[in-house]
Amino acid sequence: MTTHRLDGGDLGCARLLILLRARVADLPAGDVVHLSTVDPVAPIDLPVWCHMTGHEYLGTVPGAIPTYAVRVVADPRDTDPASPWRTAP
């Protein structure tokens, strides 16, 4: 397992999920992404997105900037290319 860092900065929900979706697509199952973001709805959106896609939401990571951990799974469910907060048609 490798841990990868992804800086979401102040991106809003949609752009943050597009960034995360692209990052996990290139990683092997079991790897973990530490996503840092100041988006105030990230603690709500990320667990929901993980539930929808099948990736594993691991919770918060201690640190000065809010950071959330997501474990990549082998067979995630696809999301709509234009709307990563929706499952693929």
Side-chain angles (χ1 to χ4, degrees):
M1 176 199 81
T2 303
T3 300
H4 307 268
R5 304 207 183 282
L6 182 60
D7 181 8
D10 63 352
L11 294 176
C13 171
R15 291 177 36 201
L16 190 64
L17 292 178
I18 290 169
L19 186 68
L20 179 59
R21 179 182 62 190
R23 186 66 179 120
V24 299
D26 296 332
L27 299 176
D31 277 13
V32 174
V33 174
H34 283 184
L35 172 62
S36 59
T37 178
V38 295
D39 179 8
V41 296
I44 298 166
D45 288 345
L46 290 173
V48 171
W49 183 82
C50 286
H51 177 75
M52 180 181 68
T53 62
H55 293 294
E56 184 181 356
Y57 179 72
L58 302 176
T60 59
V61 176
I65 298 172
T67 303
Y68 309 91
V70 174
R71 185 182 324 273
V72 178
V73 298
D75 294 314
R77 289 180 291 281
D78 290 333
T79 58
D80 185 315
S83 304
W85 54 92
R86 295 186 177 130
T87 55

